[in-house]
Each structure stands twice: as structure tokens, then as C-alpha cells.
Amino acid sequence: MQKRNTVLILGILAFAIMIIAQVIIIRGGWKQIDEMLYLRYRSLSQDANASLRGSRSMVFDTVNYLLDYYAESVVKELSQITDSQQLANKKDEIFEYFSTVLNKEQDLSQYLSEYFKNQGAEDEFNHRIAITNLEILGADTSVIYRDPSFRDRRSSRDFEGFAHSLTGSTSSILVNRFWFDRNNYALNFSYFIDLTFKRSTIFRELSASLGMSIFSIIIVVMIFLYTYRNLMEEKRLSNLKTDFINNMTHELKTPLATITVAGKTLEMEKIRTDESKIIDTAKLIGKQSVHLNQLINMILEISMWERTEFELDKKKVDIEEIMNDIVTSFRTGYRDCASLTEKYTFNGVKADVDLVYFTTLINNLLSNAVKYSEKEPVINIEGEADNNNISIKISDNGIGITKSDQKHVFDKFYRATSGNIHKYKGLGLGLYYVKRIATAHGGDVTVNSKPGKGSIFTVTIPY
Ligand code: ADP
């Protein structure tokens, strides 16, 4: 258990480290491409900006016309407002108007877009205008808005550090800072672009390494799961083998102990004079030897069944007749301790079966039905034949089998009651043989069970 947990924890740790390493690598790649795009588009926008010199005001012609006209109309209004709240509201309104007109009517975005396209670059971006100073000029100049970082009205120097500190990232590129000094207003603003295609471009550029990372992670996880499963399976098999050896020792010891005691009894003086006692003891020794022999044969058979596909000596037999024979002899053996009812009609079907193995199959199921029961066993045998198969259903009212055990009961050495192995004797081989015999006949066996309610084993064999 501890080894299993250590392997699991180490595996998860290694997996986490690997994912972190991959994330760091991808993030590094992401940053590099992001920076590259930023530098490329910054230099493109600066080139575009430089090529505008001389005709720069052209792209803001409409803006200037509309704003000057508007500013003229508000100069008087502003000087007449005395209430400070009203003045603040008016200033907000003016700022809003300037912002809207600037954003809507400028042609710089159009110009940049065409410039980018001509240079073979992507032309999708969002522009952003940040007003840093706005004054309405009249008899009394009134400042509508002034950014705390604003210094000089007559400066339009590109100042990259400022742009960076303003945006704090490479997602916005400062194209230029503008200032307009018109008849009725003075305005300073910065014009930024955000590259909307950046994310998808980076994804595209990184897709190969991203794909490879994910692929390698999947492969590593699969290898880990596969190895872990194998380890668990090995552990399970080794536990099964240990259980089997314990069970086998226990099974072999019982007849041996009886034989030893019987031997000692025969040595006793007073027994030797009583002929009937000698015969009884000899019979007991004989019976236990047969049982011992059966156990040893069973153990020997496992390795034989494992090495070779066992050969069936098939004969055409009337299934109903065979079933009657098996049930009769079983009933004779268990007359006192189990009630057995049979309800099968095979319509005289004759199937190719190996008589010895088929009898073993049914007997194993019947004796399990008796063995795994805590009250008086009630066993039903049903059977029918359709066009292709005969099916035999053996149900009991025993202790039942849990869902997780049902998956393994046909495995070699598997015992669902391994926690309490000596309560029900066995070697975990009965159902393994049942399965092998059924499949050797081209058929199958399945189980349906509820703990505490009983179990139903269904055997199908083609004919
Ligand atoms: P064994 O009986 O020697 O343990 P089997 O292969 O016959 O081995 O059965 C495997 C396990 O399946 C048993 O240990 C038992 O827990 C469970 N089992 C088999 N038949 C029944 C049944 N009819 N009712 C309840 N449990 C059963």
C-alpha cells in the first residue's frame, strides 16, 4: 500500500513538474512573440506617422472643423455659468463631445490601416485616444480637463516611456501625441492602437510547440498509467498467489491431520482387538486419501490447463438427460442440506459437449451455491434452448457477490471472501474452471448477483 502511494505521489509530482516546465517554456515563447509583434508594429506605426508629416493635419481636418465650431458655441455659455456644479457638468459634457468627435471623425486609423496593408502587415487594430489636456479659449481660458502627467501644451514629442507607463503592457502602441491650438480651443491627446489579431497570431505561431507539448504530456501520462496499472495488477496477482498458498496449505492439512490421527489410532492396543473399529479407521484413511488425491490433482491440473489449450472429448449428448443425471447425483449428495428445484426444457436438443468437463462445470456451480450460503440453500436450475444456444441458469439465495468482486470471480485463484478465507474453504479455482470449460465449448458464463440476496450464474453453450 505504501509503495503504491509513493509511486502515485512521485508520478503526480513528476507530472506536475513537467506541466509547470511546459507552461514556463510556452509562456517564454508567448512573451517573445508578443514583444516581437509589439516592436514590429511600433516601428511600422512610427514609419506611418513619419510619412504623414506635412499632411498630418489632413487626417484631423473634419475633427478640427467640428470642434472649433463647437468650442465657439460654448465659450459664451461657460463664462455665464456661476454655479460650480453646473460648471463641472458642462465641462464633462464638453469633454464627452470632444472625445466622441475625435474618435469618430479622425482619419488616422484609416490611413494606418492602409499603410499596414501596403507593408504586408495585418491591418486589424482598435484605436484609443487619450486626451491629456483640453482648454476652451476665450476672454478667460477655461481648462476642461488636464491629466496630472501633462506638462507642456506645445509638445508632441513621441515619448515611449510614457506610453509604456500609461498602458503598462505591450498590448497598446503609442503612435503619436498630438496638439492642436485652434481659435477656440487647445487640445493635447495621445493616439494608441491595440493589436486585435495579436492573440490569434501568437496562438498560430506557437501551435506547433503547443501541440507537441500537449502530445508529449499525453504520452507521458499514458505511459505512467499503463505502468501503474501493470504494477497494481502484479501486486494483485502476487496477493492472489499468497492467498492461494495459504488456502492450499489449509486444505491439504485437514485430510493429512485426519490420516495421522487415524494412523496413531491403529497403533493402539485396544483398537487392534476390535475389528470393526479397524475397518472404520481404514475406511476413514481411504476417504481422506481420495480427498487428498483430488486436491493434488486439482493443483496439478492448473499448470496443465495453463500450458495447453485443453482438449475436449466432445460427444453428441442429450442435454436434458445429462442435466437430469447431474441433478440426481447432486441431490443424493446434498439431500439433507439443500433444496434443489429444476425447471428446464431443452426440447431434446443434442449438443457437442465433453461429458466430464460439462459435469464438472455444473457441479462447481451447484456446490458453490451450497457453499456460499448462510441459511438453508434454495437452488433453482432453469434451462432452455433457442435456435443456436442452450442456456442454463443456476440461482441461489446465498451471500451474493459485490459488483467489484463480480469482475474477478472467474479469475484464477480469486476468492471474494479472501478476508475470511477459512470460513468458506476453497482454492479460488472452481469458477476459473467453469469459465475455461464454457469458453472451450465456444460458450460463456456470466454472473448477476446482489450481496445478501443471492447469485445467478448463466452458462450458454452453442449446439
Ligand atoms: P472457491 O469457491 O474455491 O473460493 P471459486 O472460483 O469457485 O473458488 O469462487 C470464487 C469466489 O467467488 C469465491 O471465493 C466466492 O467468494 C465467490 N462465489 C462463487 N460462487 C458464489 C456463490 N454462488 N455465491 C456467492 N459467492 C460466490
Side-chain angles (χ1 to χ4, degrees), residues 368-369 371-372 396 399-401 409 414-417 426-432 455 457:
N368 274 353
K371 185 160 73 169
Y372 294 104
D396 62 55
I399 57 171
I401 308 168
V409 282
Y414 192 84
R415 306 205 66 219
T417 46
L427 295 175
L429 288 171
L431 289 183
Y432 168 68
S455 312
F457 286 88

Side-chain angles (χ1 to χ4, degrees), residues 63-273:
V63 171
N64 278 326
Y65 173 74
L66 286 171
L67 292 184
D68 214 21
Y69 183 73
Y70 173 76
E72 192 181 2
S73 71
V74 291
V75 171
K76 221 162 141 206
E77 240 182 285
L78 275 173
S79 60
Q80 280 164 1
I81 299 174
T82 47
D83 180 57
S84 65
Q85 184 56 45
Q86 244 180 353
L87 190 65
N89 289 348
K90 189 68 196 170
K91 282 184 175 180
D92 283 351
E93 187 192 309
I94 295 170
F95 183 85
E96 254 337 286
Y97 183 83
F98 268 74
S99 240
T100 317
V101 170
L102 257 179
N103 272 300
K104 268 200 186 150
E105 306 296 341
Q106 51 82 21
D107 290 323
L108 181 58
S109 299
Q110 174 78 22
Y111 179 80
L112 277 181
S113 174
E114 270 160 29
Y115 189 87
F116 287 175
K117 214 193 277 178
N118 286 340
Q119 298 295 319
E122 299 271 356
D123 60 343
E124 285 166 43
F125 59 82
N126 289 334
H127 73 267
R128 200 157 51 78
I129 289 174
I131 295 176
T132 47
N133 179 55
L134 172 57
E135 297 164 35
I136 297 290
L137 309 174
D140 300 316
T141 299
S142 91
V143 177
I144 303 298
Y145 173 77
R146 183 163 287 167
D147 192 90
S149 65
F150 179 75
R151 285 190 215 304
D152 180 6
R153 177 134 72 95
R154 286 163 192 283
S155 160
S156 65
R157 272 182 308 120
D158 283 353
F159 184 44
E160 209 51 57
F162 167 74
H164 249 308
S165 69
L166 200 75
T167 61
S169 74
T170 56
S171 62
S172 281
I173 296 171
L174 173 68
V175 177
N176 201 5
R177 298 170 77 195
F178 295 92
W179 65 275
F180 297 141
D181 225 346
R182 311 291 294 187
N183 292 339
N184 299 300
Y185 72 90
L187 173 68
N188 295 64
F189 65 90
S190 305
Y191 177 95
F192 296 94
I193 56 169
D194 292 331
L195 306 177
T196 47
F197 58 86
K198 208 155 76 172
R199 200 173 261 270
S200 57
T201 307
I202 299 177
F203 258 123
R204 211 174 38 238
E205 302 257 331
L206 280 180
S207 58
S209 41
L210 203 66
M212 255 145 57
S213 281
I214 294 172
F215 186 65
S216 63
I217 289 174
I218 292 175
I219 296 273
V220 170
V221 170
M222 270 164 54
I223 291 175
F224 174 73
L225 288 180
Y226 180 74
T227 318
Y228 184 72
R229 226 188 58 183
N230 277 357
L231 188 81
M232 289 305 102
E233 185 60 15
E234 249 172 56
K235 182 113 188 58
R236 196 179 70 83
L237 287 179
S238 120
N239 285 347
L240 277 184
K241 280 199 176 136
T242 316
D243 280 352
F244 170 72
I245 289 167
N246 289 342
N247 293 336
M248 190 177 71
T249 317
H250 181 77
E251 291 278 307
L252 292 176
K253 266 188 174 168
T254 318
L256 262 179
T258 318
I259 292 171
T260 314
V261 174
K264 285 244 158 50
T265 314
L266 284 180
E267 282 174 14
M268 287 156 72
E269 274 289 338
K270 58 175 181 186
I271 292 288
R272 268 186 259 148
T273 52

Side-chain angles (χ1 to χ4, degrees), residues 266 270-282:
L266 284 180
K270 58 175 181 186
I271 292 288
R272 268 186 259 148
T273 52
D274 186 342
E275 199 174 324
S276 70
K277 280 230 166 99
I278 293 180
I279 291 173
D280 281 352
T281 316

Side-chain angles (χ1 to χ4, degrees), residues 283-299:
K283 271 189 189 159
L284 187 66
I285 293 176
K287 209 171 132 194
Q288 290 303 328
S289 309
V290 170
H291 182 49
L292 205 55
N293 198 29
Q294 275 173 346
L295 279 172
I296 292 168
N297 278 347
M298 203 169 173
I299 294 160

